[in-house]
Amino acid sequence: MYQPYPSSGQPAGPLRPRSAAPVLTAVKLMYAGAAASAVELIIGLALIIVDIEAAARGQFLGHSLATPQMRPLIITVWVVFSLVAIALWLWMARANSQGRNWARILSTVLFGLATLHLRGDFTQPVSHTGFGVTVLYYGSSALFVAAWLAGAAAVWLLWRPASSAFFKPPGFTEALPRQV
């Protein structure tokens, strides 16, 4: 007959403190960033598919393409990069909600890379194939800015003093200052 191993009544190790409110808000902002990236994926696909006239001329959003047959490659690359961005948002949200300090650092690095990308988003020429394409392009840019703002707020919340205890490893103690 099976008998459970008697417990000493002591927890197996130090418990991680409950998630701080700023961390929970940051995680929600990361989910919002993932949603904005998903909508951006759909708008980007619409831009690629609708911009047929420019593709026929060998142009896509002001960039020269070798042939219109490059469109399937462009669609594939767009979908892959967009899915990677969505996956990174979701991964960072999950890891930060679990109190992983490396995720807080990596989220900050990814936000820095997004900041570099943000500058390029506004220096790119717009295709002049029609009003609808221009609206889609600026809609996509507005969504990227919204995702960037969500990332900025999330990073700020992750580094707030109220969040620091949640990201410290269990059993972490700070060294006392040396007495001279």
Side-chain angles (χ1 to χ4, degrees):
M1 176 167 232
Y2 173 76
Q3 294 210 346
Y5 189 76
S7 172
S8 65
Q10 299 291 331
L15 298 175
R16 184 175 296 279
R18 286 181 41 97
S19 181
V23 175
L24 293 175
T25 305
V27 168
K28 290 175 187 174
L29 286 168
M30 289 180 196
Y31 286 134
S37 295
V39 174
E40 203 176 345
L41 163 67
I42 294 166
I43 290 176
L45 283 174
L47 272 172
I48 294 168
I49 293 168
V50 168
D51 204 3
I52 295 170
E53 292 175 22
R57 290 191 313 269
Q59 297 283 316
F60 173 71
L61 295 178
H63 297 288
S64 178
L65 300 175
T67 63
Q69 290 79 18
M70 293 285 291
R71 196 165 60 170
L73 176 65
I74 292 170
I75 290 171
T76 303
V77 169
W78 177 257
V79 169
V80 167
F81 278 104
S82 296
L83 290 177
V84 166
I86 294 167
L88 284 171
W89 276 110
L90 296 174
W91 182 40
M92 289 299 98
R94 180 177 168 94
N96 279 299
S97 71
Q98 294 173 346
R100 307 282 193 248
N101 194 45
W102 60 264
R104 179 168 65 156
I105 295 166
L106 184 56
S107 296
T108 306
V109 170
L110 291 172
F111 172 72
L113 293 174
T115 302
L116 294 176
H117 177 73
L118 183 67
R119 182 184 172 274
D121 207 36
F122 293 107
T123 58
Q124 181 174 326
V126 179
S127 173
H128 299 287
T129 59
F131 178 74
V133 172
T134 304
V135 168
L136 283 173
Y137 174 77
Y138 284 117
S140 178
S141 294
L143 278 170
F144 183 78
V145 169
W148 182 86
L149 288 171
V155 166
W156 180 73
L157 287 168
L158 290 174
W159 290 100
R160 301 280 303 147
S163 304
S164 294
F166 181 64
F167 286 102
K168 289 183 182 172
F172 177 79
T173 57
E174 292 188 29
L176 296 173
R178 289 181 21 187
Q179 300 287 334
V180 181

